[in-house]
């Protein structure tokens, strides 16, 4: 018995191409079916409803959203904050407090499956969550001209999507991504990519600030630079950070980040 032919079949020049095509199809099916479980990494909830500023957005809906709302000082805008992956709003209270001490209001929400927000995190569910948060801000008496969207890392996705649907005062992106699949791959070679930020930013004229570490080991600085360059906004700025990475930037560069955000917001047209 010819075990070689039995196990791998008869050799032909078509076989490598057939094998590569088969591997690609299997990987593409895996990417489409399992991507959300790989992309979203919610930690165990780090807070309770007793956290300062806690509120529930759309409490009577089928998907209530856990949030923190710190009110702005008179004449100051409110920042709608979309956090990064593997964290929830309870872990970021120092950031919210620092922004609030500068006079800015903060409305920060948790995606489905994160913190005290129930549900399953997907691109669509995070977009629904940020839209509900936007609606909550409007219902609270905050006009669009006083709302600034701030998205960090994966939070750049829902923030850019919301900016494409509405007219906020400005858009601030910290360590943004061009798209999810473009993080591990130079080009998104699989179907079903998430958060096509680079494509969407090309149609958003909202004033833009991008803050990104040049040594970011998770989302390359090239992502933030590409988004900044693709933006058609008349007012836009790119702030590179040095001597820090992706997850420790607020630990090493908090004053520089807050100063950059404050200067950008204070210089926006009234």
């Amino acid at each position: 018995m010819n075990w070689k032919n039995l196990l791998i079949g008869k050799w032909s020049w078509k076989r490598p191409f057939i094998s590569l095509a088969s591997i690609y199809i299997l990987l593409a099916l895996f990417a489409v079916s399992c991507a959300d479980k790989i992309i979203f990494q919610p930690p165990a909830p780090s807070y309770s409803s007793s956290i300062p500023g806690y509120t529930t957005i759309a409490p009577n809906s089928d998907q209530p959203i856990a949030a923190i709302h710190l009110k702005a000082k008179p004449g100051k805008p409110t920042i709608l904050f979309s956090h990064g992956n593997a964290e929830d709003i309870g872990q970021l209270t120092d950031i919210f407090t620092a922004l609030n001490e500068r006079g800015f209001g903060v409305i920060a929400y948790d995606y489905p499956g994160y913190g005290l927000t129930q549900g399953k995190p997907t691109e669509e569910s995070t977009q629904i969550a940020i839209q509900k948060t936007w609606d909550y801000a409007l219902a609270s008496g905050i006009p669009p001209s006083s709302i600034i969207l701030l998205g960090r890392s994966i939070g750049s996705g829902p923030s850019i999507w919301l900016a494409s649907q509405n007219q906020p005062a400005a858009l601030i992106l910290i360590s943004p991504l061009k798209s999810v699949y473009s993080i591990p791959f130079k080009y998104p070679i699989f179907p079903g990519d998430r958060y096509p930020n680079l494509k969407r930013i090309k149609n958003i004229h909202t004033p833009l600030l991008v803050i990104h570490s040049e040594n970011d080991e998770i989302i390359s600085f090239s992502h933030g630079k590409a988004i900044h360059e693709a933006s058609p906004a008349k007012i836009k700025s790119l702030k590179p950070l040095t001597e820090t990475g992706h997850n420790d930037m607020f630990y090493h560069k908090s004053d520089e980040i807050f100063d950059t955000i404050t200067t950008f917001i204070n210089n926006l047209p009234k």
Side-chain angles (χ1 to χ4, degrees), residues 14-229:
K14 294 181 180 179
R15 178 166 293 279
F17 299 101
I18 294 173
S19 298
L20 288 174
S22 300
I23 292 171
Y24 172 81
I25 291 171
L26 289 173
L27 290 175
L29 289 173
F30 176 80
V32 171
S33 62
C34 301
D36 288 337
K37 293 181 180 180
I38 298 173
I39 294 168
F40 298 101
Q41 300 293 327
S46 68
Y47 62 96
S48 69
S49 59
S50 63
I51 192 172
Y54 180 82
T55 189
T56 303
I57 295 171
N60 298 320
S61 70
D62 58 350
Q63 184 62 77
I65 305 297
I68 289 175
H69 185 183
L70 306 177
K71 294 184 178 181
K73 292 181 180 178
K76 290 288 189 178
T78 294
I79 296 172
L80 197 167
F81 196 108
S82 299
H83 63 72
N85 208 352
E87 63 187 16
D88 62 25
I89 55 176
Q91 298 169 302
L92 306 174
T93 54
D94 288 347
I95 294 175
F96 306 151
T97 299
L99 291 169
N100 193 234
E101 288 175 347
R102 291 171 179 253
F104 307 123
V106 177
I107 300 177
Y109 68 103
D110 263 330
Y111 314 125
Y114 288 69
L116 299 183
T117 302
Q118 300 299 310
K120 179 182 178 181
T122 65
E123 179 180 20
E124 182 181 9
S125 71
T126 60
Q127 290 170 178
I128 292 172
I130 195 173
Q131 182 65 61
K132 286 184 178 181
T133 306
W134 171 270
D135 294 341
Y136 164 84
L138 299 184
S140 300
I142 306 171
S145 59
S146 291
I147 300 176
I148 294 172
L149 306 182
L150 191 159
R152 165 171 145 73
S153 190
I154 198 80
S156 62
S159 296
I160 290 176
W161 174 84
L162 188 69
S164 72
Q165 306 296 310
N166 300 276
Q167 295 294 325
L171 175 63
I172 299 174
L173 303 174
I174 301 177
S175 309
L177 48 96
K178 293 188 291 186
S179 75
V180 169
Y181 287 180
S182 64
I183 296 175
F185 305 107
K186 186 174 182 179
Y187 302 102
I189 60 175
F190 296 119
D193 199 3
R194 277 35 168 205
Y195 300 126
N197 292 339
L198 187 60
K199 178 180 178 181
R200 287 175 175 157
I201 200 68
K202 295 176 181 179
N203 297 311
I204 299 173
H205 294 265
T206 302
L208 172 68
L209 168 63
V210 177
I211 302 173
H212 210 126
S213 171
E214 293 180 328
N215 300 316
D216 194 315
E217 72 285 5
I218 295 177
I219 301 176
S220 168
F221 176 77
S222 62
H223 286 243
K225 183 179 180 182
I227 288 174
H228 173 263
E229 291 176 349

